[in-house]
Amino acid sequence: MSLPPALYIVPTPIGNLGDMSPRAVETLQSVSLIACEDTRHSGRLFSHFGISTRTTSVHDHNERARAQWIIEKLSQGEAVALVSDAGTPLISDPGYHLVSQVREAGFAVIPLPGPCAAITALSASGLPSDRFSFEGFLPAKDKGRTDKLTALREDPRTLIFYESPHRILQTLEAIVAVLGADRPMVMARELTKTFETFLSGTAAEVLEKVKSDDNQQKGEMVLMCHGFVAEETEEAIPAKAMETLSLLATELPLKKAAAMAAQIHDLKKNALYKAGLDAGL
């Protein structure tokens, strides 16, 4: 199958080879050239799937220069695929400059859906997933790491980070120090692989679990922290609302009475329920 000239963004498995899609295999077999983050690493994957397409390296150090060469290939009618070592290209991997320049040159960029460690981890974390912020790797130096976490401390979205084994303890310690020991979080490790693990609890609890088990300090990790939740300030319950609550509570269980009174007076039912308990209703 011949493909029209375009840059195809092709995700590859993050661990389990069974996650390689038939479309990804067909695309990589059909393009004229595959741009790889590491040709040797990708070569093992290609050998497994019988992909013999010629390859070239595109990584952080040569991406800008290689982009123009790839654009020339596109202008000659060739189709080119981009892969990273694992997962979806550009997500904490090279490719941004290449994609930008290809689009500016007027060529199509066609993405294929596929594996992504951040999304895979989030989907099973039990943390809020309606709003989240992917932050990639935190800075390696202590000050940079602390400054970054400080800037994110009051972000209400679920925060997602990647981390490597040799920095995991320092990063967890920084999360405890900056975001707080009680911040709910989940650490996903070795996703889709044999020793896939999810550790959940407060930041302090996750740190202690990782400290006490050397195995939890190995492999590829995704850290997810619950977004900031402002403390609710107690507001005085209006007298009329308390009167309504008192009347309803004579005939109904307090929880149901609080829910009805809250609806009548446009208040929070939990606040009314607490006020009812405090009042001995």
Side-chain angles (χ1 to χ4, degrees), residues 105-179:
F107 291 98
V109 177
I110 301 175
L112 277 65
C116 174
I119 301 303
T120 302
L122 180 63
S123 69
S125 68
L127 295 174
S129 57
D130 55 334
R131 297 182 67 216
F132 58 90
S133 177
F134 174 66
E135 299 294 332
F137 287 90
L138 285 165
K141 295 186 177 179
D142 291 343
K143 185 180 184 307
R145 186 187 302 120
T146 298
D147 289 347
K148 182 65 174 179
L149 287 170
T150 299
L152 295 168
R153 182 161 48 199
E154 296 188 4
D155 193 316
R157 299 169 295 179
T158 297
L159 303 174
I160 305 176
F161 307 97
Y162 285 165
E163 196 47 273
S164 56
H166 67 281
R167 291 207 306 254
I168 186 61
L169 289 178
Q170 294 95 316
T171 293
L172 288 172
E173 287 168 353
I175 288 173
V176 169
V178 179
L179 301 186

Side-chain angles (χ1 to χ4, degrees), residues 56-118:
T56 188
S57 64
V58 173
H59 47 71
D60 286 330
H61 304 294
N62 74 350
E63 183 181 349
R64 287 180 174 84
R66 297 297 278 173
Q68 287 305 312
W69 181 76
I70 288 174
I71 289 170
E72 289 178 17
K73 297 297 181 185
L74 295 173
S75 67
Q76 294 166 9
E78 295 191 30
V80 180
L82 173 67
V83 301
S84 60
D85 287 347
T88 300
L90 281 81
I91 310 301
S92 275
D93 282 324
Y96 161 70
H97 297 290
L98 172 60
V99 169
S100 295
Q101 290 186 47
V102 167
R103 288 177 60 85
E104 286 174 7
F107 291 98
V109 177
I110 301 175
L112 277 65
C116 174

